[in-house]
């Protein structure tokens, strides 16, 4: 500890660290307030270093076989009703419909679907929150006792990467679609959801649709018995109609995208995202998020240590410092990023961007700090051990 606190350069390192944070804060303020930089700001927000973890998946997680997806394609309501009945006969723990029936169509098929919904006690339907209103099923399909949950996935506006989810809205006593499914299946209760899931939580993705057992609606209708459905949670939703490359219906950007920089095409269907969230709720496999205060405290400490060591090297041999500056910055970046990925593997999410950028910026600020203290020394006889 004496090395850091009794070093002749400790005061300079501390002042340079403070200067780094002030300048970085001013630059960030300018960055987010200049409209000409909006495209860069959006790209910056859409990228997280930890997306590399999900895009490449550094560890192998076991697939939860208790979640089954049914691709509804563009099936009509009569086919949907038949498929729900087939699945219900296999005794699943819960059935989810990631579908909203906004309007009435055919009286005959609508009546069959309504009857099916009314006679399936463990079914969960969906609605969508839009500002202060809700997009729900037509009142014709609102049968007594029908459970429902909101399917909103995007907490930050359109075309952003889906990293977090909200499991409950405590003020309105509302549960999300996946929370309602987990509750219906007996994995959580309402009190738990309202207490533990009422703040945005990072989604612990295990993979895209292929990591879950999935069937097309045609396979369900043409099969008398599917043993895997017993005691599983079955979710009906759209998973493409044969041309996934160009099909962006109900598709979203997620960290699973292999192109974790410069995303152009959404990569994951909404029902697959719901399945990932449900998998997390079933296994209680949550990701702990390190608070912003702790992040910047760690960033400050690492920046201070980095600046102090760099100043010592600079004062001892400025030529070697200039020669190794970029290499040191690269090594620091790789080590910190690797540690963040290891933490994520242990289900702890660290917003590593400030912790990486600020120490690197601090190294670059040493030259500016030196010019500043030279000016202050000449004008006010400022004392600095760096000179």
């Amino acid at each position: 500890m004496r090395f850091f606190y009794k070093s002749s350069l400790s005061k300079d390192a501390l002042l340079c660290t403070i200067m780094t944070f002030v300048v970085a804060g001013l630059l960030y303020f300018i960055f987010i307030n200049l409209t000409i930089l909006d495209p860069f700001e959006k790209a910056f927000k859409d990228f997280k270093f930890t997306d590399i973890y999900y895009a490449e998946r550094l560890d192998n997680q076991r697939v939860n076989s208790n979640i089954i997806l049914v691709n509804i394609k563009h099936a009509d309501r009569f086919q949907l009703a038949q498929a729900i009945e087939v699945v219900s006969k296999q005794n699943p723990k819960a059935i989810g419909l990631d579908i909203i029936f906004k309007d009435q169509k055919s009286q005959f098929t609508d009546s069959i679907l309504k009857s099916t919904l009314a006679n399936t006690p463990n079914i969960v339907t969906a609605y969508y929150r839009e500002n202060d209103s809700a997009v729900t099923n037509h009142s014709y399909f609102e049968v007594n006792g029908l459970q429902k949950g909101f399917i909103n996935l995007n907490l930050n506006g359109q075309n952003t990467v889906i990293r977090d989810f909200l499991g409950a809205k405590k003020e309105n006593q509302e549960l999300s679609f996946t929370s309602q499914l987990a509750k219906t299946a007996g994995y959580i209760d309402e009190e738990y959801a309202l207490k533990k899931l009422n703040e945005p939580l990072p989604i612990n993705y295990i993979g895209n649709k292929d990591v879950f057992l999935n069937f097309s609606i045609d396979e369900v209708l043409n099969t008398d018995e599917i043993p895997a459905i017993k005691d599983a949670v079955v979710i009906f939703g759209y998973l493409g109609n044969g041309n996934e490359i160009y099909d962006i219906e109900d598709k979203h950007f997620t960290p699973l995208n292999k192109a974790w920089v410069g995303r152009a095409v959404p990569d994951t269907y909404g029902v697959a995202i719901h399945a990932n969230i449900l998998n997390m709720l079933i296994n209680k496999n949550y990701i702990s998020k390190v608070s912003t205060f702790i992040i910047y405290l760690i960033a400050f400490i690492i920046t201070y240590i980095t600046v102090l060591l760099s100043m010592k090297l600079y004062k001892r041999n400025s030529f070697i410092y200039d020669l190794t500056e970029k290499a040191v910055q690269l090594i620091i970046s790789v080590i910190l990023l690797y540690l963040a990925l290891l933490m994520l593997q242990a289900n702890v999410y660290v917003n590593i961007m400030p912790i990486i950028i600020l120490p690197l910026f601090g190294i670059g600020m040493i030259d500016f700090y030196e010019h500043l203290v030279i000016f202050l020394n000449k004008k006010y006889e400022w004392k600095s051990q760096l000179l």
Side-chain angles (χ1 to χ4, degrees):
M1 298 297 290
R2 292 178 60 190
F3 177 81
F4 296 112
Y5 291 103
K6 296 191 177 181
S7 167
S8 60
L9 289 168
S10 59
K11 177 184 175 183
D12 289 296
L14 179 61
L15 291 174
C16 185
T17 300
I18 294 172
M19 179 178 168
T20 298
F21 272 67
V22 171
V23 173
L26 290 173
L27 290 176
Y28 182 72
F29 178 80
I30 294 170
F31 180 77
I32 63 173
N33 282 282
L34 283 178
T35 55
I36 194 173
L37 295 176
D38 283 350
F40 298 98
E41 181 193 355
K42 183 182 181 301
F44 184 78
K45 287 183 176 180
D46 280 352
F47 171 73
K48 302 286 184 186
F49 277 116
T50 44
D51 288 353
I52 301 169
Y53 171 78
Y54 291 112
E56 303 299 334
R57 202 59 187 174
L58 301 184
D59 64 328
N60 296 315
Q61 293 201 22
R62 294 178 61 187
V63 174
N64 188 334
S65 59
N66 292 324
I67 301 173
I68 296 175
L69 308 180
V70 176
N71 183 8
I72 63 171
K73 299 184 179 180
H74 293 115
D76 60 37
R77 292 178 180 181
F78 180 70
Q79 290 175 305
L80 286 171
Q82 285 185 307
I84 293 168
E85 288 181 2
V86 170
V87 168
S88 182
K89 289 176 182 178
Q90 315 293 317
N91 297 315
K93 285 188 175 180
I95 301 173
L97 300 182
D98 184 20
I99 316 158
I100 297 176
F101 308 106
K102 290 193 290 186
D103 304 303
Q104 283 187 275
K105 293 186 177 179
S106 165
Q107 179 63 36
F108 174 68
T109 56
D110 284 354
S111 63
I112 293 175
L113 177 59
K114 180 179 180 178
S115 176
T116 301
L117 295 176
N119 294 318
T120 310
N122 60 344
I123 199 165
V124 176
T125 60
Y127 67 94
Y128 184 85
R129 273 286 171 199
E130 194 168 23
N131 299 323
D132 295 328
S133 61
V135 179
T136 65
N137 289 335
H138 190 276
S139 58
Y140 178 79
F141 299 104
E142 297 293 335
V143 297
N144 289 332
L146 194 62
Q147 301 171 91
K148 55 186 178 180
F150 59 86
I151 56 173
N152 299 64
L153 289 170
N154 200 330
L155 304 178
N156 301 308
Q158 293 185 340
N159 299 325
T160 58
V161 180
I162 309 296
R163 295 189 179 91
D164 301 329
F165 90 104
L166 185 66
K169 295 184 178 181
K170 198 170 184 178
E171 63 276 10
N172 300 325
Q173 302 287 295
E174 294 179 272
L175 298 186
S176 72
F177 179 65
T178 46
S179 297
Q180 194 68 261
L181 272 173
K183 175 191 164 212
T184 303
Y187 292 109
I188 64 173
D189 56 34
E190 186 169 350
E191 182 183 359
Y192 175 90
L194 292 172
K195 184 178 180 182
K196 300 287 187 180
L197 308 177
N198 64 346
E199 295 289 339
L201 294 173
I203 301 172
N204 193 354
Y205 285 98
I206 63 169
N208 216 316
K209 63 169 187 167
D210 292 331
V211 305
F212 300 99
L213 186 60
N214 61 82
F215 300 94
S216 71
I217 193 167
D218 301 316
E219 290 175 310
V220 171
L221 292 173
N222 295 323
T223 306
D224 294 330
E225 188 175 345
I226 305 176
I229 290 179
K230 181 176 171 57
D231 293 328
V233 178
V234 181
I235 310 177
F236 286 77
Y238 186 75
L239 284 170
N241 199 24
N243 192 4
E244 292 185 28
I245 297 176
Y246 303 103
D247 188 353
I248 59 172
E249 183 178 343
D250 192 28
K251 224 172 184 181
H252 306 267
F253 293 103
T254 73
L256 298 174
N257 199 319
K258 292 294 182 183
W260 38 270
V261 175
R263 296 178 176 92
V265 180
D267 51 273
T268 307
Y269 291 104
V271 67
I273 299 176
H274 289 308
N276 274 279
I277 297 171
L278 182 61
N279 175 75
M280 185 170 66
L281 295 178
I282 289 174
N283 292 315
K284 305 289 194 297
N285 195 21
Y286 304 118
I287 295 177
S288 300
K289 198 169 185 178
V290 179
S291 70
T292 302
F293 174 77
I294 297 297
I295 292 294
Y296 281 96
L297 179 62
I298 294 171
F300 188 90
I301 293 170
I302 293 177
T303 303
Y304 170 76
I305 294 172
T306 303
V307 169
L308 179 59
L309 294 175
S310 298
M311 281 184 171
K312 281 181 169 291
L313 179 60
Y314 179 80
K315 189 172 182 181
R316 185 169 298 177
N317 193 319
S318 60
F319 175 74
I320 294 179
Y321 171 81
D322 291 335
L323 198 65
T324 60
E325 180 182 358
K326 300 304 179 185
V328 169
Q329 289 176 323
L330 177 62
I331 291 169
I332 290 173
S333 301
V334 171
I335 291 173
L336 291 175
L337 179 57
Y338 182 70
L339 290 174
L341 296 178
L342 287 180
M343 293 287 284
L344 189 56
Q345 194 170 354
N347 290 341
V348 178
Y349 174 76
V350 179
N351 181 12
I352 198 63
M353 193 79 82
I355 298 176
I356 290 178
I357 290 177
L358 288 166
L360 302 186
F361 192 50
I363 294 174
M365 286 297 295
I366 292 175
D367 288 333
F368 294 97
Y369 177 78
E370 183 185 25
H371 289 303
L372 177 63
V373 295
I374 289 173
F375 169 78
L376 293 175
N377 179 263
K378 288 180 178 179
K379 191 157 188 174
Y380 303 106
E381 297 185 356
W382 179 275
K383 303 296 182 182
S384 172
Q385 296 298 322
L386 191 62
L387 302 178

